[in-house]
Amino acid sequence: MHELSLAHSLIDQILDLAAEHRASRVLRVRVTLGPFSGVVRDSFEFGFNVLKKEQPQTAEALLDLDTPDPTYVCLDCARVSVIPFALPGESAELLSPGPFPKKCPWCGGRQLSPKGGTELILNQLEME
Amino acid sequence: MCDTCGCQLHDHHHHDARVVDVNRSLLEANQRQAEANRRHIEEMGAVAINLISSPGSGKTTLLERTIDALKDTVSIGVIEGDIETERDADRIRAKGVPAVQLTTGGACHLDAPMVHGGLHVLEHFGRGRKFDLIFIENVGNLVCPATFDLGEHRRVILLSVPEGSDKPAKYPATFRSADLVLITKTDLLPHFDFNLDEARREALTLKPDLAILSLSATTGEGFTAWLDYLHGLLPR
């Protein structure tokens, strides 16, 4: 559960920026969680929404999370593709046929290497 | 409702709201401390290794055997991360090596500020000793430690034979962040259906330039290659 400590450092970062910009209230926080960042979106959101209430400046801040789809490089044909994660309950047989789930849509190869996607970024703040 | 203008829009942007583009990492504070730790360790003349694995995959045993093999020629210091107890640090101290125990009291990973404190305590315990090699043994966890740079120079992920060869595919973020994967407890290979080729292939799919070694701390098989790897990191 490292999402809680990340949400905590986000709140600290926001409070610093609010002070720097002489804002009394943060209205909206835009954050990108990379698909291979190892951060669970729901847990992060939950942690943020609990912790934000501890400070009057962040108590009403809306968290706007962007979670881009994962990108892979095929080690067989070297082509790059974006293949979304299957959602729980979603039939994803085409995408996930085995334990190393995905296939290259270009050549059918199974050796898909994750490309980038480890970013955890505070993009933008809306304050007043 | 907007208090400023009385409109009914839930999502209303206030008239004096300002939008500020930030574009900074959420890990900025940790990253800054990690860079400071790295400089600190380099000023000490040392190289640091962050050891990450599941609980029970043999991190402390690996350190005990490594200390036995190197302690006459290499000055080693250890920072131990655990949720509770001094047991691991005591095992290392029994080998005559300074060890600092960081107990997180529940946190599932070490972060750079904790290691910063640990480095100062290690220097204190070392009483002026010069360190060549500092091991930071992370909290046993194959998920959370991957996100936090501690200021290490190399990250080594242990995967023990009883855990199964599917672990790289199941914990991609962690294995992708590795510089070296050490497959441990290879003396148990005859007793488990661990497939060395599968583990290697899946780890290399995640990171094609990953270094992979396998060893048994019990029989000593493969240990020389690990010691050579460590010697290769030491400042000449």
Side-chain angles (χ1 to χ4, degrees), chain B residues 132-201:
Chain B
D132 302 315
L133 193 54
I134 296 173
F135 287 104
I136 306 165
E137 181 181 334
N138 222 308
V139 179
N141 179 338
L142 211 43
V143 185
C144 311
T147 308
F148 299 87
D149 184 357
L150 304 180
E152 72 264 24
H153 296 86
R154 291 290 185 279
R155 183 174 291 193
V156 177
I157 314 289
L158 275 67
L159 165 60
S160 69
V161 163
E163 290 170 66
S165 38
D166 57 353
K167 287 297 169 291
K170 291 172 86 171
Y171 297 86
T174 302
F175 283 90
R176 246 186 116 194
S177 76
D179 294 301
L180 170 70
V181 169
L182 261 191
I183 298 171
T184 60
K185 308 191 189 181
T186 52
D187 54 301
L188 297 178
L189 277 170
H191 310 288
F192 288 88
D193 60 354
F194 188 98
N195 184 330
L196 266 177
D197 288 338
E198 181 196 26
R200 284 206 190 97
R201 188 179 64 243

Side-chain angles (χ1 to χ4, degrees), chain B residues 33 36-37 40 79 102 111-121 150:
Chain B
Q33 184 61 59
N37 289 353
H40 184 168
I79 296 176
L102 300 176
D111 61 26
M114 290 185 225
V115 170
H116 170 232
L119 286 170
H120 283 287
V121 178
L150 304 180

